Amino acid sequence: MTAAATSERAPSQPARTTELHPDRGPGAAQRVVTVLSNIALLVISALFAIPLLWVVLAALDPEASLAVKVPSPPSLANFSAIATMETTFRPLLNSLILCGGGTVVTMVCSALAAYPLSRYRSRFKRPFLLTIIFATGLPITAVMIPVYALFVQVNLIDSMGGAILFLAASSLPYAMFLTKTFMDGVPIELEESAWTEGATMLRTLWSIVLPLMRPGIAVVTIFTFVTMWGNFFVPFMLLLSPEKLPAAVSLYTFSSQYGQIAYGQLAAFSLVYSLPVVALYLALGRRLGSGFAITGGVKG
Amino acid sequence: MTAATAPEAAAASTPGEGREPDRQAPTSRTVRRGLPLVPAVVLLLAFMAGPIVYSLYLAFTNRALRGEGASETSFVGFDNFTQAFASADFWNAVGLTLLFTLVSAIIGQNLLGMALALLMRKANKLVTALTGAVVIGAWILPEVVAAYLWYTFLGDEGSLNQVFTAIGLPPQDWLFSVPILAVSFANIWRGVAFSMLIYTAALAQVSPEVEEAATMDGAGRIRKFVSVTLPIIRRSVATNLMLITLQTLSVFGLIFIMTAGGPGTSSQTLPLYMYEQAFSYGQLGYGTAVALLLLLIGGLASLAYLKMLPEEEKS
């Protein structure tokens, strides 16, 4: 990794001589920089790809081992072996209920809360926003023990509803902050006429503001869902019954039970479990960057 | 931002002109406007603020899952904290957490993320797209899958040893010989896309004219980066450092699945130590005290992040 970090300097040496003659054309030195940058990136990509390559190849190999190996012949036996209710379908369905439910709760709360935060001025607004931004940084890991103890007290342990509400609450600060920032970008003129016609706040939000910020809403929704889908610690702590466990936890249970023998099946299950988030990110495409510009304090 | 504040000013200067269908007293107006906040606030109070306040109580008790503190919880003052500060395992966990954060976030993700963002500006589009896909692919995979991939990659018979043997180097059991470095590298792999995306967004804001002016003055590439580009994006750098530190401090699943904190306690960072104390040993009160310390560190880092965020994001 340090080699990669220093390699960016390497291309600069040969280029330095021509920097004194700033011609904008793609000079020879410029081309050297491009080639060296390409090589550096390709090397990093190759290193990054090895673990990814393993999961794809092992999933197609009924005799998979820990090492990267091209299966001969490739087969779907691993996938058919895991295509059972207990191993794959129920955990995925649980993940869908857990993360789908959590995302719906988060998004409804975020959209509602973002409206007054974006549209009105109040002396409570700034302290409130500061608290929300502060909460985005709190390590959720650190509250899991008190949450567990609290859930035991109120009898919410092993309750799907309790886990959904906690997941929703933990992703709410970030989702609210992002939604509010995207909403700030929607011009207010259209709402003004709606107000004069006496439309309620809810109606204005639903039929004017939200349709105008659909790309932003998509970004926040997908971010929220994907984060929940990958979350291991929360369901690991709050859910106990095997029939309620989402894929994140069942993958762990599966690997500790059969991990030493069924590498191929484990790889296949990992792929199936990862597929939804990969698909969602592909759907997001170029919009991915916009959430980052906001978080990073860069004006988008 | 300006669009959002405009009607406020208008409404204030022309009260009761019907810009808004609202002629109630200011207090009831504030209340009515605040109503949409209620679901979010209730949820946050019940599931975030509640547990945090509860942990302030729990950390000062001897609450346990079994044994003495289970049937009857009693107040023990600062006992949990003094016990932690006197415990070698606690300090081991603190040291490992710092090492893990330093190696994987501040050095690894940060520098590699910057290098990737810079290289991507120079490389051709196809290579940039390919690298972006692979790096982001590593990032979007669920934590458990990433942990499992690295477990196999670094295993005794794994791919890394395969590569090592192929080039004539002695293979070794990485998860056993250098566990904290093993999980650090896994965390770099998994998290670098975040820094890369932040830095790509930041570098896109640097106008080419500024950099060109430096080139005119005869500045070399490194010089130009250090004295022109870096000062412009310094706020993004600080913000990124803060965010990846926060994320890395609370990594649990990755380490739990790769090494479970072992062998022994040689990769047991604070979250794993906290978990072990609370659940393996059943000491909920003590575990909460450790969690509270972690929360405190996170809270301080989060405050620093808040300070760094540009003013217009907070209004």
Side-chain angles (χ1 to χ4, degrees), chain A residues 1 4 8-9 12 15-16 19-20 22 24 33-34 37-38 40-42 44-45 48-52 54-55 66-68 105 109 112-113 116-121 125-126 128-130 132-134 137-143 145-151 153 165-166 168-170 172-173 176-177 180-181 184 188 192 195-196 201 230 232-233 236-237 248 251-252 255 259-260 263 266 270 273-274 277-278 281 288 292 295-299, chain B residues 1 3-5 7-8 18-21 32-33 36-37 39-41 43-44 47-48 51-52 54-55 58 63 65 112 115-116 118-120 122-124 127 130-131 134 136 139-145 148-149 151-153 157-159 162 185 189 192 194 197-198 201 205 212 215-216 218 220-222 236 239 243 246 250 252-253 256-257 271 274-275 278-279 284 287-288 291 294-295 298-299 302-303 305-306 309-315:
Chain A
M1 294 301 153
E8 48 140 327
R9 287 190 206 124
S12 68
R16 186 172 281 179
E19 296 285 28
L20 298 171
R24 301 227 53 194
V33 171
T34 307
S37 303
N38 286 343
L41 285 181
L42 287 173
I44 298 173
S45 304
F48 265 69
I50 298 175
L52 294 173
W54 177 82
V55 74
L66 285 176
V68 172
V105 175
C109 291
L112 283 174
L117 289 175
S118 171
R119 270 19 185 178
Y120 302 133
R121 175 180 287 173
K125 187 171 123 181
R126 194 180 145 84
F128 186 80
L129 260 178
L130 291 182
I132 294 299
I133 301 172
F134 173 72
L138 289 180
I140 296 301
T141 309
V143 291
I145 292 177
V147 167
Y148 176 86
L150 203 60
F151 270 38
Q153 297 280 311
L165 288 178
F166 179 75
S170 63
L172 197 51
M176 252 164 96
F177 176 54
K180 184 251 169 200
T181 312
D184 286 342
I188 199 158
E192 287 175 356
W195 285 344
T196 41
M201 192 191 290
F232 166 74
F233 202 29
F236 179 64
M237 296 278 281
L251 178 57
Y252 168 72
S255 78
Q260 302 309 316
Y263 289 118
L266 206 60
S270 300
Y273 164 48
S274 307
V277 295
V278 175
Y281 267 101
L288 182 66
F292 278 85
T295 326
V298 186
K299 272 187 277 177
Chain B
M1 297 296 154
T5 47
E8 252 93 62
R19 239 175 197 274
E20 299 163 53
R32 198 182 50 82
R33 284 177 166 184
L37 286 168
V41 170
L43 210 56
L44 286 173
F47 291 95
M48 294 293 287
I52 292 174
Y54 190 56
S55 75
L58 214 56
R63 175 79 59 85
L65 290 176
L112 185 60
L116 283 167
L118 286 169
L119 286 168
M120 284 171 141
K122 301 290 180 199
N124 74 39
V127 175
L130 178 80
T131 313
V134 174
I136 292 177
W139 177 60
I140 62 174
L141 283 185
E143 188 177 23
V144 184
V145 174
Y148 202 72
L149 289 189
Y151 174 79
T152 58
F153 179 62
E157 324 254 283
S159 311
Q162 207 182 5
F185 272 84
W189 182 84
V192 73
F194 187 84
L197 287 167
I198 295 239
Q205 303 293 121
E212 219 154 276
T215 315
M216 294 275 225
R221 263 163 211 281
I222 299 172
S236 296
T239 309
L243 289 174
L246 280 166
S250 51
F252 176 83
F256 185 68
I257 289 164
M274 167 195 97
Y275 175 83
F279 293 100
L284 274 187
T288 307
L294 190 65
L295 196 65
S302 190
L303 270 184
Y305 166 58
L306 198 58
L309 210 63
E311 219 26 58
E312 66 258 32
E313 301 286 358
K314 299 182 215 161
S315 56

Side-chain angles (χ1 to χ4, degrees), chain B residues 8-267:
Chain B
E8 252 93 62
S13 60
T14 56
E17 281 230 337
R19 239 175 197 274
E20 299 163 53
D22 195 339
R23 292 187 181 96
Q24 296 155 338
T27 323
S28 78
R29 196 183 65 177
T30 308
V31 170
R32 198 182 50 82
R33 284 177 166 184
L35 272 181
L37 286 168
V38 170
V41 170
V42 168
L43 210 56
L44 286 173
L45 283 179
F47 291 95
M48 294 293 287
I52 292 174
V53 172
Y54 190 56
S55 75
L56 287 173
Y57 155 77
L58 214 56
F60 295 94
T61 68
N62 66 347
R63 175 79 59 85
L65 290 176
R66 327 169 256 283
E68 198 195 333
S71 49
E72 204 179 328
T73 307
S74 58
F75 195 69
V76 295
F78 283 92
D79 277 11
N80 289 327
F81 294 93
T82 45
Q83 190 191 334
F85 294 142
S87 153
D89 281 343
F90 172 76
W91 290 111
N92 171 60
V94 171
L96 286 171
T97 308
L98 291 178
L99 187 68
F100 179 63
T101 307
L102 184 75
V103 172
S104 73
I106 295 175
I107 295 174
Q109 291 181 12
N110 181 43
L111 291 186
L112 185 60
M114 179 64 87
L116 283 167
L118 286 169
L119 286 168
M120 284 171 141
R121 294 212 301 176
K122 301 290 180 199
N124 74 39
K125 280 208 167 66
L126 189 69
V127 175
T128 302
L130 178 80
T131 313
V134 174
V135 172
I136 292 177
W139 177 60
I140 62 174
L141 283 185
E143 188 177 23
V144 184
V145 174
Y148 202 72
L149 289 189
W150 273 80
Y151 174 79
T152 58
F153 179 62
L154 297 177
D156 220 356
E157 324 254 283
S159 311
L160 186 63
N161 280 338
Q162 207 182 5
V163 174
F164 265 57
T165 318
I167 57 176
L169 289 169
Q172 53 175 309
D173 194 342
W174 303 97
L175 292 167
F176 205 80
S177 55
V178 281
I180 193 71
L181 281 183
V183 293
S184 296
F185 272 84
N187 195 46
I188 295 173
W189 182 84
R190 180 172 143 71
V192 73
F194 187 84
S195 301
M196 182 189 83
L197 287 167
I198 295 239
Y199 288 148
T200 306
L203 287 172
Q205 303 293 121
V206 180
S207 79
E209 285 80 24
V210 181
E211 294 196 313
E212 219 154 276
T215 315
M216 294 275 225
D217 292 340
R221 263 163 211 281
I222 299 172
R223 216 14 242 294
K224 198 169 71 183
F225 176 71
V226 171
S227 48
V228 180
T229 315
L230 210 51
I232 298 178
I233 62 166
R234 69 178 189 285
R235 204 161 56 185
S236 296
V237 175
T239 309
N240 179 52
L241 281 174
M242 207 47 69
L243 289 174
I244 58 177
T245 300
L246 280 166
Q247 288 162 6
T248 307
L249 276 179
S250 51
V251 168
F252 176 83
L254 190 74
I255 306 179
F256 185 68
I257 289 164
M258 280 179 71
T259 69
T265 57
S266 54
S267 59

